[in-house]
Amino acid sequence: MKLLFIEIRHNPLLWLLVFVPVMFAAAKLKPEAHTLLFMLSVLAIVPLATLLSHATESVAAKTGDAVGGLLNATLGNLTELVIALTALRAGQYMLVKASIAGAIVTNTLFMLGASFLLGGLKHHVQEYNRVSGRMQASLLFLATIAMLIPSAVSQADSATVAAFTRKLSVGLAVLLIVAYGLGTLFSLKTHRELFASAEHGEAGETPWPMGLALATLAAVTVLVALVSEVFVESVQKAAEAFGMTPAFVGFIVVALVGGAAEMASAFSGARKNRLDLSVGIALGSASQIALFVAPVLVLVSYFIGPTPMDLQFWPGAVVMILIATLTATLVTNSGRSAWFVGVLVLMVYLTFAMTLYLLPPKG
Amino acid sequence: MKLLFIEIRHNPLLWLLVFVPVMFAAAKLKPEAHTLLFMLSVLAIVPLATLLSHATESVAAKTGDAVGGLLNATLGNLTELVIALTALRAGQYMLVKASIAGAIVTNTLFMLGASFLLGGLKHHVQEYNRVSGRMQASLLFLATIAMLIPSAVSQADSATVAAFTRKLSVGLAVLLIVAYGLGTLFSLKTHRELFASAEHGEAGETPWPMGLALATLAAVTVLVALVSEVFVESVQKAAEAFGMTPAFVGFIVVALVGGAAEMASAFSGARKNRLDLSVGIALGSASQIALFVAPVLVLVSYFIGPTPMDLQFWPGAVVMILIATLTATLVTNSGRSAWFVGVLVLMVYLTFAMTLYLLPPKG
Amino acid sequence: MKLLFIEIRHNPLLWLLVFVPVMFAAAKLKPEAHTLLFMLSVLAIVPLATLLSHATESVAAKTGDAVGGLLNATLGNLTELVIALTALRAGQYMLVKASIAGAIVTNTLFMLGASFLLGGLKHHVQEYNRVSGRMQASLLFLATIAMLIPSAVSQADSATVAAFTRKLSVGLAVLLIVAYGLGTLFSLKTHRELFASAEHGEAGETPWPMGLALATLAAVTVLVALVSEVFVESVQKAAEAFGMTPAFVGFIVVALVGGAAEMASAFSGARKNRLDLSVGIALGSASQIALFVAPVLVLVSYFIGPTPMDLQFWPGAVVMILIATLTATLVTNSGRSAWFVGVLVLMVYLTFAMTLYLLPPKG
């Protein structure tokens, strides 16, 4: 418990934890103040995600490499998963899909671009392991391609019916999870040396003892779920108040909130001239969304949602995901970076954000 | 003749030759048993394609490098060409186009992916000549882009009329064949050293004498043509019986059947840690379809088909071809491979196959 | 003045200057001879562009590296800018957009492809600086992606309204110009060593004295503007007479005419085995169109055009630009070139030209 307080004192992000009780109080007292609840829930999720990330890493560090790696790989995007599950249960499929697409785009463009920019402002030219960067970019590209196939093919073909898309989505979800399992085997067991440098190796931090870590993991997951509920309920109305489209909220706001903890790690790696770490976190996290989070949501939707969810994205999202992964592939191809590369990658992200912000709401 | 029998005894694929007479007997006795005829014709084409491939190589080996290379380059996809010509004469343009698109996709995704997987299961990490791999992937990319331009542009533009597409297709076919001729000059004459390692160098096999090779070439081509006729006639009805869409049959079944012989060579190369060979066969064969087989079919359609054929593909096929060649480009970029790369490439192929299988038939 | 005559005597392109007065005379005497005026104006723009290019370089050489580089970067596409401004003032937005898209496509495909071919016919295999080639190709890719986002997203989304596209285009134009400014800072100040080899270093030519250079710059810009006016007025009617579509004229003719001077430099670099120079000119010039010329035209359209212009391109143009920049990225990836690579790149360009030539006019 003392360790938890030390951690909190040293990490300014965690001071935001104060907003967790504030939010619950506000939700009780003023259930109609959607805009306020939305902002409080955003402020509450960020530190919870940071705690979750540290607890996962502590458990991973204690349980040894293989199990720990598996845990890290499975729980790395736990925040995104919990938020999406809450939205799924509420039947808000548009928000679920936007947050899947947005997480991939934000991880590849914003996290990567800001890492390049922040690293580049401190170091003239940064070199990183080109081989593992390329390997990870290829995996990401193939993973997103597989995820997008129903959208690409059926969007193009007029004679499509919903039943086809739904069957295809289930088949695809199974395929993606199998590929994810094989990929975990590959990166943790048979070819771990290729991914060595991309491990979440925060050398400076001391891992928590097992008991604390597990308790934190359990308690914080429940808290995230509760906060997510308020977030998902309030987001729609708050978005209207701010003049934001639902697409913008799902794509940009949810993705930035859910990924805050990983971004902190990626940016700190870039500043320390360890771009391998930043590239590994950004691309690995994006791959995980495509290969694990998205298919799990499709399969789970058969049990908890009002109706099954398919993997059909709206055409604009398909274009953005493809551009984001292509950009990541191109940019990591040379194994070198300088600040302007980060500026251009961020600019692509900004144009996406601007487009979604200005996009007239449908209907 | 004795050599032919030795060959047959050593190559289990050739035992399937027994299905050639069986199929002709069945076609005579039970012309209405479409499903049976379809399966028999598939089983008969595979060994004939293998013989054709060996005969071509024997002629090539005897006639010296330049003429031999030219022969190999022109006749390498003879099976696909004969099947497509038969379908063309029968006016089944949908099947012709699906088999063109399918041959490119199957060669780049299935042949390459399975080579990486089979090689990777035996060897930890496989390195191959990056420079020639990239050069061949670029050629393939440009070749398919050129082939797809009518589809890409006119699909996007509503004000298109059939006459425009037809004129464009003929002009394009001429351009593609000129590029193919120049490409042959390039790879066999001026820059042959770049392609050295990708030659079909089956060192272990003794080439047949000229007479036997030429006779086999002629006889087997006729046999393939006759078997193709049964195949093309029965495929539609058999597909219905199996619940397969015509798109699935053209894209997947025809492509796998037509490419069986080349796949055997590519896979054996991968197992022997000669990935250069596998990559060369897969990408070279796909380029040949785009630069030679497709334009020849367009031009020939003016003489043997009921109406001229254009190069307009349906949007889903365009997307699949582009993804396939982009994937090949990305994956061969690093010059390194491991089993999971093969898994992901195969997964993309599987999702294509699943999509086409589930696709509701039009109309 | 004497230097100017020496220059003219040595550079056969400049002999075309004789067409400048001829064109003005013709415009006075036969204002209805559109086809003649069109051809004369094309013949007059080519030498003027060459003079403009040399004057810019002379000023740049005299003013030192930083200011000179900035001048070169800003005025490098002055001819294209002046032609586009003239078309903008005449309200011919279709022509403006076609010439933006065409300049990018022509620079990346024709200029690059012809450089590879011309260089490859003289040198067996040409090597060039892979790192700076890749960096420039990435910049170009990101720049065009950013420019195309309004088209990509809103083309896909049916619920789009003109107001949205217009707002987005203005926001994007500002972003692009900021990125351009940062890019200039990057290539001229903080990371100039990466771009060292790509400087327009025509070592053999003596720069003009400052006075002559500035006077030429001013006078020729005015002349280009006057000739452009005749060009823009006559191009539509002349195109009809030649059976050319407006898309073909904007995409191919205007782009080739406007870029003639740069092409001469790029080709001469390729022949001298200095492919770095050719790649730098081709990709740099294309990036400049996307990051500087296009957004300037959008912003200026609020002041000089009849109505504001947006950055929405027709789908065929989007496809062509994307293919062109992807091709450039792939082809410069290996840092090696041979003649057949040039042939294939030119073939892609030729298929574009053929498609646009055959395209039935709308309406």
Side-chain angles (χ1 to χ4, degrees), chain B residues 274-290:
Chain B
R274 295 180 60 198
L275 266 189
D276 285 307
L277 190 66
S278 314
V279 171
I281 295 174
L283 301 188
S285 179
S287 298
Q288 204 178 23
I289 301 279

Side-chain angles (χ1 to χ4, degrees), chain A residues 124-125 134 315 319-320 323 327 330 333-334 336 338-341 343-344 347 351-352 354-355 358-360 362, chain C residues 131 134-135 139 141-142 145-146 149 153 156-157 159 164 168 171-172 175 179 182-183 186 190-191 193-194 329 333:
Chain A
H124 188 67
V125 170
R134 269 187 205 166
V319 170
M320 289 187 187
I323 288 177
T327 302
L330 271 177
N333 188 31
S334 66
R336 291 159 62 107
W339 67 266
F340 189 57
V341 178
V343 166
L344 278 174
M347 194 182 63
T351 52
F352 284 178
M354 200 165 71
T355 306
L358 293 174
L359 207 65
K362 297 210 184 151
Chain C
V131 174
R134 271 187 203 164
M135 183 72 97
L139 300 193
F141 182 76
L142 294 176
I145 281 297
I149 281 167
V153 173
D157 185 35
F164 157 64
L168 186 60
L172 196 64
L175 258 186
L182 291 172
F186 179 72
T190 72
H191 287 68
E193 79 284 358
L194 287 179
T329 308
N333 188 29

Side-chain angles (χ1 to χ4, degrees), chain B residues 53-69:
Chain B
S53 163
H54 195 66
T56 309
E57 273 162 31
S58 296
V59 176
K62 294 281 167 187
T63 49
D65 277 338
V67 182

Side-chain angles (χ1 to χ4, degrees), chain C residues 83-93 96 225 229 232 303-306:
Chain C
I83 298 179
L85 281 172
T86 313
L88 191 69
R89 230 180 44 198
Q92 299 210 22
Y93 294 161
V96 177
E229 215 143 303
V232 167
F303 304 103
I304 72 167

Side-chain angles (χ1 to χ4, degrees), chain B residues 248-279:
Chain B
F248 180 82
V249 172
F251 233 83
I252 308 292
V253 179
V254 176
L256 286 176
V257 168
E262 283 158 316
M263 281 174 204
S265 304
F267 298 163
S268 117
R271 300 290 293 175
K272 292 177 196 150
N273 207 10
R274 295 180 60 198
L275 266 189
D276 285 307
L277 190 66
S278 314
V279 171

Side-chain angles (χ1 to χ4, degrees), chain A residues 114-155:
Chain A
S115 295
F116 285 166
L117 178 57
L118 290 172
L121 289 178
K122 203 163 168 190
H123 309 276
H124 188 67
V125 170
Q126 295 185 290
E127 310 252 348
Y128 53 95
N129 188 339
R130 197 166 50 174
V131 174
S132 74
R134 269 187 205 166
M135 182 72 97
Q136 288 180 314
S138 298
L139 299 194
L140 172 62
F141 181 76
L142 293 176
T144 49
I145 282 296
M147 191 188 81
L148 292 178
I149 281 167
S151 313
V153 172
S154 70
Q155 146 200 1

